Amino acid sequence: MTQHELNQLVADATGEDLSEIRNRGFSLADPLEVDFDPEPYDLPPQMIDWDEIDLQRNVAIVEQPPFCHQAA
């Protein structure tokens, strides 16, 4: 399979323009290479913890004094 044939098949399957597929750089992986990964392993996970972001942005509308627990 040539690179052009691969690009055409991917474009047909995804509905993208052939130029967009060429820009993204699809290629065939060698099936004998079981550890093939074109992405480096040393990058941090590409995800966002929206709960953590929400906690950082969660601010009170009305400022309140700090709570002081008083013994009864």
Side-chain angles (χ1 to χ4, degrees):
M1 175 180 292
T2 66
Q3 185 66 47
H4 178 72
E5 291 170 335
L6 174 63
N7 290 345
Q8 188 63 55
L9 288 171
V10 172
D12 292 344
T14 61
E16 294 286 343
D17 290 334
L18 188 57
S19 61
E20 181 66 27
I21 300 303
R22 277 193 298 260
N23 289 338
R24 293 180 186 234
F26 284 88
S27 62
L28 290 176
D30 182 359
L32 299 177
E33 188 177 343
V34 294
D35 292 327
F36 175 77
D37 187 1
E39 303 294 326
Y41 290 109
D42 57 350
L43 291 177
Q46 301 295 310
M47 60 182 228
I48 296 175
D49 183 351
W50 290 110
D51 293 327
E52 182 66 31
I53 299 294
D54 189 45
L55 287 175
Q56 293 172 7
R57 289 195 265 178
N58 189 8
V59 294
I61 295 174
V62 177
E63 288 293 324
Q64 297 179 355
F67 177 75
C68 295
H69 181 49
Q70 297 177 359

Coordinates of all heavy atoms in Angstrom, one line a residue:
M1 N 0.8 -1.2 0.0 CA 0.0 0.0 0.0 C 0.9 1.2 0.0 O 1.8 1.3 0.8 CB -0.9 0.0 1.2 CG -1.7 1.2 1.4 SD -2.8 1.3 2.8 CE -4.0 0.0 2.4
T2 N 0.6 2.1 -0.9 CA 1.4 3.4 -0.9 C 0.8 4.4 0.1 O -0.3 4.2 0.6 CB 1.3 4.0 -2.3 OG1 0.0 4.4 -2.6 CG2 1.8 3.0 -3.4
Q3 N 1.6 5.4 0.3 CA 1.2 6.5 1.3 C -0.1 7.2 0.7 O -1.0 7.5 1.5 CB 2.3 7.5 1.5 CG 2.0 8.6 2.5 CD 1.9 8.0 3.9 OE1 2.7 7.2 4.3 NE2 0.8 8.3 4.6
H4 N -0.1 7.4 -0.6 CA -1.3 8.0 -1.2 C -2.5 7.2 -1.0 O -3.6 7.7 -0.6 CB -1.1 8.3 -2.6 CG -2.3 8.9 -3.3 ND1 -2.6 10.2 -3.1 CD2 -3.2 8.4 -4.1 CE1 -3.8 10.5 -3.8 NE2 -4.1 9.4 -4.4
E5 N -2.4 5.8 -1.2 CA -3.5 4.9 -1.0 C -4.0 5.0 0.5 O -5.2 5.0 0.7 CB -3.2 3.5 -1.4 CG -3.0 3.3 -2.9 CD -2.4 2.0 -3.2 OE1 -1.7 1.4 -2.4 OE2 -2.6 1.5 -4.3
L6 N -3.1 4.9 1.4 CA -3.4 5.0 2.8 C -4.2 6.3 3.1 O -5.2 6.3 3.8 CB -2.2 4.9 3.7 CG -2.4 5.1 5.2 CD1 -3.3 4.0 5.8 CD2 -1.1 5.1 5.9
N7 N -3.6 7.4 2.7 CA -4.2 8.7 2.9 C -5.7 8.8 2.3 O -6.6 9.3 3.0 CB -3.4 9.8 2.3 CG -2.1 10.1 3.0 OD1 -1.9 9.6 4.2 ND2 -1.2 10.8 2.4
Q8 N -5.8 8.2 1.1 CA -7.1 8.2 0.5 C -8.1 7.4 1.3 O -9.3 7.8 1.5 CB -7.0 7.7 -0.9 CG -8.3 7.8 -1.7 CD -8.7 9.3 -1.9 OE1 -8.0 10.1 -2.4 NE2 -9.9 9.6 -1.5
L9 N -7.7 6.2 1.8 CA -8.6 5.3 2.6 C -9.0 6.0 3.9 O -10.2 5.9 4.3 CB -7.9 4.0 2.8 CG -7.8 3.1 1.6 CD1 -7.0 1.8 2.0 CD2 -9.2 2.6 1.2
V10 N -8.0 6.7 4.5 CA -8.3 7.4 5.8 C -9.3 8.5 5.5 O -10.2 8.7 6.3 CB -7.1 7.8 6.5 CG1 -7.4 8.7 7.7 CG2 -6.2 6.6 6.9
A11 N -9.0 9.3 4.5 CA -9.9 10.4 4.1 C -11.3 9.9 3.8 O -12.3 10.5 4.2 CB -9.3 11.1 2.9
D12 N -11.4 8.8 3.1 CA -12.8 8.2 2.8 C -13.5 7.8 4.0 O -14.7 8.0 4.2 CB -12.6 7.1 1.8 CG -12.2 7.5 0.4 OD1 -12.3 8.7 0.1 OD2 -11.7 6.6 -0.3
A13 N -12.7 7.2 5.0 CA -13.3 6.6 6.2 C -13.7 7.7 7.2 O -14.7 7.6 7.9 CB -12.4 5.7 6.9
T14 N -13.0 8.8 7.2 CA -13.3 9.9 8.2 C -14.1 11.0 7.6 O -14.6 11.8 8.4 CB -12.0 10.5 8.7 OG1 -11.2 11.0 7.6 CG2 -11.1 9.4 9.4
G15 N -14.1 11.2 6.3 CA -14.8 12.3 5.7 C -14.0 13.5 5.6 O -14.5 14.6 5.2
E16 N -12.7 13.5 6.0 CA -11.9 14.6 6.0 C -11.3 14.8 4.6 O -11.3 13.9 3.8 CB -10.7 14.5 6.9 CG -11.1 14.4 8.4 CD -11.4 15.8 8.9 OE1 -11.1 16.8 8.3 OE2 -12.1 15.8 10.0
D17 N -10.8 16.1 4.3 CA -10.2 16.3 3.0 C -8.9 15.6 3.0 O -8.2 15.4 4.0 CB -9.9 17.8 2.9 CG -11.2 18.6 2.7 OD1 -12.1 18.1 2.1 OD2 -11.2 19.8 3.0
L18 N -8.5 15.2 1.8 CA -7.2 14.5 1.6 C -6.0 15.4 2.1 O -5.1 14.9 2.7 CB -7.0 14.1 0.1 CG -5.8 13.2 -0.2 CD1 -5.9 11.9 0.6 CD2 -5.8 12.9 -1.7
S19 N -6.1 16.7 1.9 CA -5.0 17.6 2.4 C -4.9 17.5 3.9 O -3.8 17.6 4.4 CB -5.2 19.0 1.9 OG -6.4 19.5 2.3
E20 N -6.0 17.5 4.6 CA -6.0 17.4 6.0 C -5.4 16.1 6.5 O -4.6 16.1 7.5 CB -7.4 17.5 6.6 CG -7.5 17.5 8.1 CD -6.9 18.7 8.7 OE1 -6.8 19.8 8.1 OE2 -6.4 18.5 9.9
I21 N -5.7 15.0 5.9 CA -5.1 13.7 6.2 C -3.6 13.8 6.0 O -2.8 13.3 6.8 CB -5.7 12.6 5.4 CG1 -7.2 12.5 5.7 CG2 -5.1 11.2 5.7 CD1 -7.6 12.3 7.2
R22 N -3.1 14.3 4.9 CA -1.7 14.5 4.6 C -1.0 15.3 5.7 O 0.1 15.0 6.1 CB -1.5 15.1 3.2 CG -1.5 14.1 2.1 CD -1.0 14.7 0.8 NE -1.8 15.8 0.4 CZ -2.7 15.8 -0.6 NH1 -2.9 14.7 -1.2 NH2 -3.4 16.9 -0.9
N23 N -1.7 16.4 6.1 CA -1.1 17.2 7.2 C -1.0 16.5 8.5 O 0.0 16.8 9.3 CB -1.9 18.5 7.4 CG -1.8 19.4 6.2 OD1 -0.9 19.4 5.5 ND2 -2.8 20.3 6.1
R24 N -1.8 15.6 8.8 CA -1.8 14.9 10.1 C -0.8 13.7 10.1 O -0.4 13.3 11.1 CB -3.2 14.3 10.4 CG -4.2 15.4 10.7 CD -5.5 14.9 11.0 NE -6.5 16.0 11.2 CZ -7.2 16.2 12.2 NH1 -7.1 15.3 13.3 NH2 -8.0 17.2 12.3
G25 N -0.3 13.3 8.9 CA 0.8 12.4 8.8 C 0.5 10.9 9.2 O 1.2 10.4 10.1
F26 N -0.5 10.3 8.7 CA -0.8 8.9 8.9 C 0.3 8.0 8.4 O 0.8 8.4 7.3 CB -2.2 8.5 8.4 CG -3.3 9.0 9.2 CD1 -3.8 10.3 9.0 CD2 -3.8 8.3 10.2 CE1 -4.9 10.8 9.7 CE2 -4.9 8.8 11.0 CZ -5.4 10.0 10.7
S27 N 0.5 6.9 9.0 CA 1.5 5.9 8.5 C 1.1 4.5 9.0 O 0.4 4.4 9.9 CB 2.9 6.3 8.9 OG 3.0 6.2 10.3
L28 N 1.6 3.5 8.3 CA 1.4 2.2 8.7 C 2.4 1.7 9.8 O 3.6 2.1 9.7 CB 1.5 1.2 7.5 CG 0.5 1.3 6.4 CD1 0.8 0.4 5.2 CD2 -0.9 1.0 7.0
A29 N 1.9 1.0 10.7 CA 2.7 0.5 11.8 C 3.2 -0.9 11.4 O 2.4 -1.6 10.7 CB 2.0 0.5 13.1
D30 N 4.4 -1.3 11.8 CA 4.9 -2.6 11.5 C 4.2 -3.6 12.5 O 4.4 -3.4 13.7 CB 6.4 -2.6 11.7 CG 7.0 -4.0 11.4 OD1 6.3 -4.9 11.0 OD2 8.3 -4.1 11.5
P31 N 3.5 -4.6 12.0 CA 2.8 -5.5 12.9 C 3.7 -6.4 13.7 O 3.3 -6.9 14.8 CB 1.9 -6.3 12.0 CG 2.5 -6.2 10.7 CD 3.2 -4.9 10.6
L32 N 5.0 -6.5 13.3 CA 5.9 -7.3 14.1 C 6.5 -6.5 15.2 O 7.1 -7.1 16.1 CB 7.1 -7.8 13.1 CG 6.6 -8.6 12.0 CD1 7.7 -9.0 11.1 CD2 5.9 -9.9 12.5
E33 N 6.4 -5.2 15.2 CA 6.9 -4.4 16.3 C 5.8 -4.1 17.3 O 4.9 -3.3 17.1 CB 7.4 -3.0 15.7 CG 8.1 -2.2 16.8 CD 8.7 -0.9 16.2 OE1 8.8 -0.8 15.0 OE2 9.0 0.0 17.0
V34 N 5.8 -5.0 18.4 CA 4.7 -4.9 19.3 C 4.7 -3.7 20.3 O 3.7 -3.4 20.8 CB 4.6 -6.2 20.2 CG1 4.3 -7.4 19.3 CG2 5.9 -6.4 20.9
D35 N 5.8 -3.1 20.4 CA 5.9 -1.9 21.3 C 5.9 -0.6 20.6 O 6.4 0.4 21.0 CB 7.2 -2.0 22.2 CG 7.2 -3.2 23.2 OD1 6.1 -3.5 23.6 OD2 8.3 -3.7 23.4
F36 N 5.3 -0.6 19.4 CA 5.3 0.6 18.6 C 4.3 1.6 19.2 O 3.2 1.3 19.5 CB 4.8 0.3 17.2 CG 4.6 1.5 16.3 CD1 5.7 2.1 15.7 CD2 3.3 2.0 16.1 CE1 5.5 3.2 15.0 CE2 3.1 3.2 15.3 CZ 4.2 3.8 14.8
D37 N 4.9 2.8 19.4 CA 4.1 3.9 19.9 C 4.7 5.2 19.4 O 5.8 5.5 19.8 CB 4.0 3.9 21.4 CG 3.1 5.0 22.0 OD1 2.4 5.7 21.2 OD2 2.9 5.1 23.2
P38 N 4.1 5.9 18.5 CA 4.7 7.1 18.0 C 4.8 8.2 18.9 O 5.4 9.2 18.7 CB 3.8 7.4 16.8 CG 2.5 6.9 17.1 CD 2.8 5.6 17.9
E39 N 4.1 8.1 20.1 CA 4.1 9.2 21.1 C 5.1 8.9 22.1 O 5.3 7.7 22.6 CB 2.7 9.3 21.7 CG 1.6 9.6 20.8 CD 1.7 10.9 20.1 OE1 2.2 11.9 20.7 OE2 1.3 11.0 18.9
P40 N 5.9 9.9 22.6 CA 6.8 9.6 23.7 C 6.2 9.3 25.0 O 5.1 9.7 25.3 CB 7.6 10.9 23.7 CG 6.7 11.9 23.1 CD 5.9 11.2 22.1
Y41 N 6.9 8.5 25.8 CA 6.3 8.0 27.1 C 6.5 9.1 28.2 O 6.0 9.0 29.2 CB 7.0 6.7 27.5 CG 6.6 5.5 26.7 CD1 7.4 4.9 25.8 CD2 5.3 5.0 26.8 CE1 7.1 3.8 25.1 CE2 4.9 3.9 26.1 CZ 5.8 3.3 25.2 OH 5.4 2.2 24.5
D42 N 7.4 10.0 27.9 CA 7.8 10.9 29.0 C 6.9 12.2 29.1 O 7.2 13.1 29.9 CB 9.3 11.4 28.9 CG 9.6 12.0 27.5 OD1 8.7 12.0 26.6 OD2 10.7 12.6 27.4
L43 N 5.9 12.2 28.4 CA 4.9 13.4 28.5 C 3.9 13.1 29.6 O 3.5 12.0 29.8 CB 4.2 13.6 27.1 CG 5.0 14.1 26.0 CD1 4.1 14.1 24.7 CD2 5.6 15.4 26.3
P44 N 3.5 14.2 30.3 CA 2.5 14.0 31.3 C 1.1 13.6 30.6 O 1.0 13.9 29.4 CB 2.4 15.3 32.0 CG 2.9 16.3 31.0 CD 4.0 15.6 30.2
P45 N 0.2 13.0 31.3 CA -1.1 12.7 30.8 C -1.8 13.9 30.2 O -1.7 15.0 30.9 CB -1.9 12.1 31.9 CG -0.9 11.7 32.9 CD 0.3 12.6 32.7
Q46 N -2.4 13.8 29.1 CA -3.0 15.0 28.5 C -4.5 14.9 28.9 O -5.4 14.5 28.1 CB -2.9 14.9 26.9 CG -1.5 14.9 26.5 CD -0.7 16.2 26.8 OE1 -1.3 17.3 26.5 NE2 0.4 16.1 27.4
M47 N -4.8 15.3 30.1 CA -6.1 15.3 30.6 C -6.3 16.5 31.6 O -5.3 17.0 32.1 CB -6.5 14.0 31.3 CG -5.6 13.7 32.5 SD -6.1 12.1 33.2 CE -6.1 12.6 34.9
I48 N -7.5 16.9 31.8 CA -7.8 17.9 32.8 C -8.8 17.4 33.8 O -9.8 16.7 33.5 CB -8.5 19.1 32.0 CG1 -7.6 19.7 31.0 CG2 -9.0 20.1 33.0 CD1 -8.2 20.8 30.2
D49 N -8.4 17.6 35.1 CA -9.3 17.2 36.2 C -10.2 18.3 36.5 O -9.8 19.3 37.2 CB -8.4 16.8 37.4 CG -9.2 16.3 38.6 OD1 -10.5 16.4 38.5 OD2 -8.7 15.9 39.6
W50 N -11.4 18.3 35.9 CA -12.3 19.4 36.0 C -12.8 19.7 37.5 O -13.1 20.8 37.9 CB -13.5 19.2 35.1 CG -13.1 19.4 33.7 CD1 -13.1 18.4 32.8 CD2 -12.7 20.6 33.0 NE1 -12.7 18.9 31.6 CE2 -12.4 20.2 31.7 CE3 -12.6 21.9 33.4 CZ2 -12.0 21.2 30.8 CZ3 -12.1 22.8 32.5 CH2 -11.9 22.4 31.2
D51 N -12.8 18.6 38.3 CA -13.1 18.8 39.7 C -12.0 19.6 40.4 O -12.4 20.5 41.2 CB -13.3 17.4 40.4 CG -14.5 16.7 39.9 OD1 -15.5 17.3 39.6 OD2 -14.4 15.4 39.8
E52 N -10.8 19.4 40.1 CA -9.7 20.1 40.7 C -9.7 21.6 40.2 O -9.6 22.5 41.0 CB -8.3 19.5 40.3 CG -7.1 20.2 40.9 CD -7.1 20.1 42.4 OE1 -7.5 19.1 43.0 OE2 -6.5 21.1 43.0
I53 N -10.0 21.8 39.0 CA -10.1 23.2 38.4 C -11.3 23.9 39.1 O -11.2 25.1 39.5 CB -10.3 23.1 36.9 CG1 -9.1 22.5 36.2 CG2 -10.6 24.5 36.4 CD1 -7.8 23.3 36.3
D54 N -12.4 23.2 39.3 CA -13.6 23.8 40.0 C -13.2 24.2 41.4 O -13.7 25.2 41.9 CB -14.7 22.8 39.9 CG -16.0 23.5 40.4 OD1 -16.3 24.6 39.9 OD2 -16.8 22.8 41.1
L55 N -12.5 23.4 42.1 CA -12.1 23.7 43.5 C -11.2 24.9 43.6 O -11.3 25.7 44.5 CB -11.4 22.5 44.2 CG -12.3 21.3 44.5 CD1 -11.4 20.2 45.1 CD2 -13.3 21.7 45.5
Q56 N -10.4 25.1 42.6 CA -9.5 26.3 42.5 C -10.3 27.5 42.2 O -9.9 28.6 42.7 CB -8.4 26.1 41.5 CG -7.4 25.0 41.8 CD -6.5 24.7 40.7 OE1 -6.4 25.4 39.7 NE2 -5.7 23.7 40.8
R57 N -11.3 27.4 41.5 CA -12.1 28.6 41.1 C -13.3 28.8 42.0 O -14.0 29.8 41.8 CB -12.6 28.4 39.6 CG -11.5 28.5 38.6 CD -12.1 28.7 37.3 NE -12.2 27.4 36.6 CZ -12.7 27.3 35.4 NH1 -13.2 28.3 34.8 NH2 -12.8 26.1 34.9
N58 N -13.6 27.9 42.9 CA -14.8 28.0 43.8 C -14.5 29.1 44.9 O -13.8 28.8 45.8 CB -15.1 26.7 44.4 CG -16.4 26.7 45.1 OD1 -17.1 27.6 45.0 ND2 -16.6 25.6 45.8
V59 N -15.0 30.3 44.7 CA -14.8 31.4 45.6 C -16.2 31.8 46.1 O -17.2 31.7 45.4 CB -14.1 32.6 45.0 CG1 -12.7 32.2 44.7 CG2 -14.8 33.1 43.8
A60 N -16.2 32.3 47.4 CA -17.5 32.7 48.0 C -17.9 34.1 47.4 O -17.1 34.9 47.0 CB -17.3 32.9 49.5
I61 N -19.2 34.2 47.2 CA -19.7 35.5 46.7 C -19.6 36.5 47.8 O -19.3 37.7 47.5 CB -21.2 35.3 46.2 CG1 -21.2 34.4 45.0 CG2 -21.8 36.6 45.9 CD1 -22.6 34.0 44.6
V62 N -19.9 36.1 49.0 CA -19.9 37.0 50.2 C -18.8 36.5 51.1 O -18.8 35.3 51.5 CB -21.2 37.1 50.9 CG1 -21.1 38.0 52.1 CG2 -22.3 37.5 50.0
E63 N -17.8 37.3 51.4 CA -16.7 36.9 52.3 C -17.3 36.7 53.7 O -18.1 37.5 54.2 CB -15.6 38.0 52.3 CG -14.8 38.1 51.1 CD -13.9 36.8 50.9 OE1 -13.4 36.2 51.8 OE2 -13.8 36.4 49.7
Q64 N -16.8 35.6 54.3 CA -17.2 35.3 55.7 C -16.0 35.2 56.5 O -14.9 34.7 56.1 CB -18.0 34.0 55.7 CG -19.3 34.1 54.9 CD -20.1 32.8 54.9 OE1 -19.6 31.8 55.4 NE2 -21.2 32.8 54.3
P65 N -16.1 35.5 57.8 CA -14.9 35.3 58.7 C -14.6 33.8 58.9 O -15.5 33.0 58.7 CB -15.4 36.0 60.0 CG -16.9 36.0 60.0 CD -17.2 36.0 58.5
P66 N -13.4 33.5 59.1 CA -13.0 32.1 59.3 C -13.8 31.5 60.5 O -14.1 32.2 61.5 CB -11.5 32.1 59.6 CG -11.1 33.5 59.5 CD -12.3 34.4 59.3
F67 N -14.2 30.2 60.4 CA -14.9 29.5 61.4 C -14.0 29.2 62.6 O -12.9 28.6 62.4 CB -15.5 28.3 60.8 CG -16.3 27.5 61.9 CD1 -17.5 27.9 62.4 CD2 -15.7 26.3 62.4 CE1 -18.2 27.2 63.3 CE2 -16.4 25.6 63.3 CZ -17.6 26.0 63.8
C68 N -14.3 29.6 63.8 CA -13.6 29.2 65.0 C -14.4 28.4 65.9 O -15.5 28.8 66.3 CB -13.2 30.5 65.7 SG -12.1 31.6 64.8
H69 N -14.0 27.1 66.1 CA -14.7 26.2 66.9 C -14.5 26.5 68.4 O -13.4 26.6 68.8 CB -14.2 24.8 66.6 CG -15.0 23.7 67.4 ND1 -16.3 23.7 67.4 CD2 -14.5 22.7 68.1 CE1 -16.7 22.6 68.2 NE2 -15.6 22.0 68.6
Q70 N -15.7 26.8 69.0 CA -15.6 27.1 70.5 C -16.0 25.9 71.3 O -17.1 25.3 71.0 CB -16.5 28.3 70.8 CG -16.0 29.6 70.0 CD -17.0 30.7 70.3 OE1 -18.0 30.6 71.0 NE2 -16.6 31.9 69.7
A71 N -15.3 25.6 72.3 CA -15.6 24.5 73.2 C -16.8 24.8 74.0 O -17.0 26.0 74.5 CB -14.4 24.1 74.1
A72 N -17.7 23.9 74.2 CA -18.9 24.1 75.0 C -18.7 23.9 76.5 O -17.9 23.3 77.0 CB -20.0 23.2 74.6

